[in-house]
Amino acid sequence: STTILVLSAAAISSATAFVPSSLTFSKSGLTSIATAEITTSPTKYYGVSPTRLGVSIPEAKGLLKDIEKFGDFDPDDEDDDEKSQKLLDVTIKALEVLDGERSSVSDDVIMSEVAADQVSVSRRPVLTEYSDEGEEAEKGEFEEGKAGSNAIFGGALSILRALRKQGVKRSTIGFTTYPRHPEYPDVDLSGAMKMMDGAPPLNQIFNAKKLVRLIRRALQTLIAYDRLGGRDAAANAETKEAAYQTAFTKSQLLGIFPNPLDVLPLPKHTVEHWEEDKEVARQFLCGTNPVMVNVAKEIGQLSDNIVDYFGNDKLQDLVDEKRLFFVSYDDLADLEVNPHQAYPLPANKDKPQDQPRYCYAPIIAFVLGEDRKELDILGIQLERTSDAPVYTRDNSGENEWLFVKSCVTTADSNIHEWCSHLGDTHLTMEPHIIAIYNILRKEKHALYTFLKPLCKDTLLLNFAARRTLAGFGEGAFGDKQSSIGVGQFMQVIGKRWSRYSFFEKSSLPSELASRGFDEDFDMPGYLYREDGMKLWNAYGEFAKDFVDEVYDSDDDVASDKIVQEWAIETTDASKGAVPGFPTSFKDKATLVKVLQTLMWIPSGLHAAVNMPQYDFYAYVPNKPLGMRADLKALPNDDAEIRSWMFENHFPHVSGEHDATLHA
């Protein structure tokens, strides 16, 4: 499905922005088009017809070579806007040809003067005039652009064209606040974290190697999906449940040979175990969102409903034994629009309001086994009323229990994607990156050497996200795909930022302690903590060594005017306005802690909430982002519930109103 394409392509684009170049990807994720079998037909390649792909594969490979001719050119390293513009133009033209917007490569002179081993920029103007014929009028920062003629690279073209129009050489980047969402004009979002004013500078675009890698990945996924039969495969599946596995490629051909197009591998463990209680619980420790689970230090942290159901004595014993845990989705409880429409007004005036997306604000309690190795579900409360029932595996029908668990995983998916991932890493880093760019990069300060890898590509990714995944406007991805919609997840992000403090929230030991995981808490199965603390400590040692190389004493730090300007740029209410960040630096220890924390956010934290996405989201029933029905529609007969869930509850895999495939 398109969701899988988005996840697999985004896994590369997002991950490489936050982790240094040493990051490696799975074998299946980087299978090159150049090594895949190519048919002799110039107009068909593994089922991709000219209506889907605008050129033959040899032409497509030629287009990628034009981008590859830029070699190791990195816009941020060389800061050559003319060369960056040329790289952007070549990429736009390549995508237009692939999408069929240009009839052939020969319609334009693409990189004719560029040698294969070295980029030599032409002396004539990069563009005598940039043509946007056929393109829509300029859209706002958050408004999603219309897809191109074949809708393969339409979203990417919209972003790159906007960047080409707006991107300029900028020695500094302005800060601004988030505008009000059109669906909620009375809700002020200016209290959320600051964002950049306009498009990122051209020196912040992806390098050539990354652009080629992304295009190849998208083509691989498209070809593999078409080879599987695309929508027809889902529509022709024997059951709706079986349809959810039709979007995966096989690891072998004829059961013998490795499949060069195994770019959508079946997440076997997830498919086989997603219904099990202990697997659901395990994913709260080692899945995509391991930052939500809390240690219950007192039974008052749980709802009255759960306490009344299980009894004070039982729960208190578990608290005393440090075996009681919980997750409470309180931020979802205050949202006013539930269900939310997939195509909400006023942006989607011509769409009928008949595709509701539901969401609960559940509370789930867990119990740790006596051997302290495995977590299990104790009970679930879905609704926030005084008479709301508490569901357990013992008091529920087998399929009713499956439905209740899916309501929890849907809530968790919405908080994970929009808050733990987008909000707590991408958007949280943005005001920091702007301040670093404006002060440390501009002044070529030694600290920029440390911070540069942590800032790479993120401004472009965030700019792209605000025009696609988190777009404000017609047909917005976040509205179609998620239960709470764009306007409401921005409200939740803003609410969480109002409680934010730099060291308390973004420092791993402090964040863990806020959820009850003190340094001596015995829980070896919590790999996010176990592995995270190893990274955190290593980052601290590295930061200390770096600071010791730059500064001999605390006085040297305090007298460094550029570093003091950086602190002001980050904290001033009219600029970065990051709560809890030092307003000045007086000693080396504080600077080390800041660098350690800034290193953790885009590397360890982002890797934890980003890298496992395919494993857990690709098989949609495991982590649905939206649900199409609620408790009121649940069949009375438990035997009917399972098939009903796949037909009416989980996100679509086919159909006239297919929110997933029409994304």
Side-chain angles (χ1 to χ4, degrees):
S1 71
T2 300
T3 300
I4 294 177
L5 189 152
V6 168
L7 288 173
S8 53
I12 292 180
S13 66
S14 186
T16 54
F18 283 90
V19 184
S21 57
S22 58
L23 176 72
T24 58
F25 298 101
S26 66
K27 178 181 178 182
S28 63
L30 290 181
T31 304
S32 171
I33 276 184
T35 63
E37 178 185 349
I38 299 176
T39 64
T40 56
S41 169
T43 59
K44 194 168 184 180
Y45 172 52
Y46 276 116
V48 180
S49 65
T51 59
R52 298 296 305 279
L53 194 60
V55 296
S56 67
I57 289 304
E59 285 182 296
K61 290 172 65 177
L63 290 166
L64 295 182
K65 286 183 179 179
D66 283 328
I67 303 174
E68 288 175 327
K69 288 176 182 177
F70 282 87
D72 293 326
F73 169 61
D74 189 313
D76 193 32
D77 285 339
E78 299 187 32
D79 209 8
D80 185 333
D81 272 20
E82 189 175 19
K83 194 181 291 187
S84 297
Q85 287 175 353
K86 202 164 189 68
L87 172 59
L88 193 59
D89 295 339
V90 170
T91 305
I92 290 172
K93 292 173 183 178
L95 295 183
E96 288 174 343
V97 173
L98 290 171
D99 244 7
E101 291 191 12
R102 294 173 183 261
S103 59
S104 70
V105 184
S106 60
D107 285 346
D108 298 275
V109 178
I110 301 179
M111 292 297 294
S112 59
E113 71 281 3
V114 179
D117 58 346
Q118 182 179 7
V119 175
S120 58
V121 180
S122 170
R123 292 186 177 277
R124 67 180 187 218
V126 175
L127 282 178
T128 53
E129 180 155 355
Y130 182 74
S131 173
D132 59 351
E133 187 175 350
E135 186 183 350
E136 292 191 2
E138 182 67 22
K139 290 180 174 293
E141 169 88 9
F142 288 84
E143 191 168 354
E144 199 173 28
K146 296 293 186 184
S149 58
N150 292 299
I152 300 173
F153 295 104
L157 278 169
S158 172
I159 294 162
L160 295 180
R161 285 167 173 163
L163 183 62
R164 184 63 185 84
K165 285 183 176 182
Q166 299 178 36
V168 293
K169 185 176 181 65
R170 302 167 71 181
S171 59
T172 59
I173 303 172
F175 294 93
T176 191
T177 58
Y178 284 83
R180 296 173 188 245
H181 190 277
E183 189 179 355
Y184 308 95
D186 296 331
V187 179
D188 185 7
L189 298 177
S190 64
M193 63 282 285
K194 294 290 186 71
M195 66 174 187
M196 63 181 163
D197 183 7
L202 288 176
N203 57 31
Q204 297 298 300
I205 66 172
F206 298 156
N207 62 40
K209 289 183 176 180
K210 184 166 185 174
L211 288 168
V212 169
R213 189 164 69 245
L214 287 168
I215 295 171
R216 278 182 173 153
R217 178 63 174 180
L219 287 172
Q220 290 164 2
T221 307
L222 173 71
I223 292 166
Y225 186 60
D226 273 25
R227 181 67 170 169
L228 289 167
R231 302 180 188 209
D232 291 339
N236 295 331
E238 292 184 5
T239 65
K240 286 289 187 180
E241 182 170 352
Y244 286 85
Q245 294 191 38
T246 60
F248 299 108
T249 48
K250 296 183 182 299
S251 60
Q252 292 182 322
L253 300 175
L254 304 177
I256 303 174
F257 306 105
N259 181 5
L261 284 176
D262 186 23
V263 295
L264 300 174
L266 179 76
K268 186 176 180 182
H269 177 85
T270 301
V271 172
E272 292 178 351
H273 300 283
W274 71 279
E275 301 176 52
E276 300 169 9
D277 291 1
K278 287 185 177 180
E279 173 62 18
V280 173
R282 185 189 73 85
Q283 290 184 26
F284 279 87
L285 299 176
C286 306
T288 56
N289 199 21
V291 296
M292 293 295 292
V293 64
N294 293 267
V295 179
K297 295 296 184 83
E298 54 186 37
I299 60 176
Q301 291 177 279
L302 301 173
S303 69
D304 292 341
N305 307 52
I306 291 177
V307 174
D308 291 343
Y309 183 85
F310 291 104
N312 287 52
D313 293 343
K314 177 180 179 177
L315 295 179
Q316 188 60 54
D317 287 345
L318 291 174
V319 168
D320 294 341
E321 296 168 5
K322 298 183 178 180
R323 294 173 49 217
L324 184 62
F325 302 80
F326 71 96
V327 176
S328 185
Y329 296 91
D330 299 335
D331 286 331
L332 296 177
D334 297 331
L335 299 181
E336 296 182 1
V337 179
N338 186 15
H340 183 267
Q341 288 293 327
Y343 296 92
L345 298 173
N348 300 278
K349 296 178 181 178
D350 298 328
K351 289 281 187 179
Q353 301 299 291
D354 60 354
Q355 294 191 58
R357 302 288 184 264
Y358 296 85
C359 193
Y360 288 97
I363 304 169
I364 180 170
F366 304 96
V367 60
L368 183 64
E370 292 184 2
D371 59 1
R372 307 195 71 81
K373 291 183 178 180
E374 287 188 301
L375 206 61
D376 202 354
I377 301 174
L378 183 65
I380 296 171
Q381 178 184 335
L382 290 181
E383 299 170 299
R384 295 296 180 111
T385 58
S386 59
D387 59 348
V390 175
Y391 298 90
T392 70
R393 71 173 67 89
D394 296 326
N395 70 12
S396 307
E398 178 183 358
N399 294 316
E400 179 188 27
W401 180 235
L402 183 64
F403 171 81
V404 170
K405 288 186 292 183
S406 77
C407 292
V408 175
T409 54
T410 299
D412 190 70
S413 296
N414 278 264
I415 290 296
H416 163 254
E417 289 292 10
W418 307 129
C419 299
S420 303
H421 183 193
L422 177 65
D424 292 350
T425 62
H426 285 259
L427 303 187
T428 290
M429 279 299 294
E430 188 162 348
H432 289 291
I433 294 170
I434 298 171
I436 291 166
Y437 184 96
N438 289 348
I439 305 299
L440 300 179
R441 183 185 188 276
K442 180 181 177 181
E443 299 295 338
K444 296 179 173 60
H445 194 278
L447 289 182
Y448 186 65
T449 306
F450 183 100
L451 294 166
K452 179 181 176 180
L454 311 179
C455 303
K456 188 172 180 58
D457 296 338
T458 304
L459 294 182
L460 177 56
L461 282 170
N462 290 3
F463 176 73
R466 286 190 283 266
R467 298 180 65 89
T468 53
L469 301 177
F472 288 18
E474 182 182 0
F477 180 94
D479 287 329
K480 291 184 292 185
Q481 297 289 357
S482 68
S483 279
I484 62 177
V486 178
Q488 292 192 134
F489 75 60
M490 284 304 306
Q491 293 175 36
V492 176
I493 288 173
K495 181 186 296 185
R496 288 162 66 99
W497 187 254
S498 71
R499 307 191 295 263
Y500 180 85
S501 180
F502 178 69
F503 288 125
E504 292 178 15
K505 177 61 180 176
S506 293
S507 164
L508 179 60
S510 299
E511 192 280 323
L512 287 169
S514 72
R515 293 187 285 113
F517 291 97
D518 303 321
E519 188 174 348
D520 60 349
F521 192 88
D522 180 21
M523 197 172 184
Y526 192 14
L527 299 183
Y528 170 73
R529 184 190 70 162
E530 298 301 303
D531 294 343
M533 284 304 302
K534 293 174 184 176
L535 285 173
W536 173 264
N537 292 330
Y539 294 164
E541 292 175 9
F542 182 71
K544 183 179 185 304
D545 289 346
F546 192 91
V547 170
D548 286 342
E549 286 287 331
V550 177
Y551 299 101
D552 292 329
S553 66
D554 291 342
D555 288 341
D556 290 340
V557 173
S559 62
D560 189 331
K561 294 182 179 180
I562 296 174
V563 169
Q564 306 307 325
E565 289 179 20
W566 171 42
I568 295 171
E569 185 83 2
T570 306
T571 58
D572 188 279
S574 64
K575 296 181 179 180
V578 176
F581 193 89
T583 55
S584 64
F585 289 99
K586 299 178 181 179
D587 54 70
K588 293 166 64 174
T590 301
L591 183 56
V592 166
K593 190 175 180 182
V594 165
L595 295 181
Q596 182 183 25
T597 304
L598 287 175
M599 195 172 186
W600 167 252
I601 299 169
S603 58
L605 176 58
H606 182 262
V609 297
N610 176 72
M611 301 306 286
Q613 286 183 94
Y614 186 92
D615 293 326
F616 297 107
Y617 277 97
Y619 185 61
V620 174
N622 181 66
K623 289 282 288 182
L625 193 55
M627 49 191 254
R628 296 180 288 128
D630 64 355
L631 279 168
K632 299 183 184 68
L634 198 67
N636 293 324
D637 186 347
D638 191 73
E640 298 177 2
I641 292 177
R642 185 183 184 92
S643 60
W644 171 86
M645 288 176 64
F646 284 92
E647 297 250 2
N648 303 287
H649 170 64
F650 290 129
H652 291 280
V653 289
S654 63
E656 181 182 356
H657 299 297
D658 189 337
T660 299
L661 293 177
H662 289 177

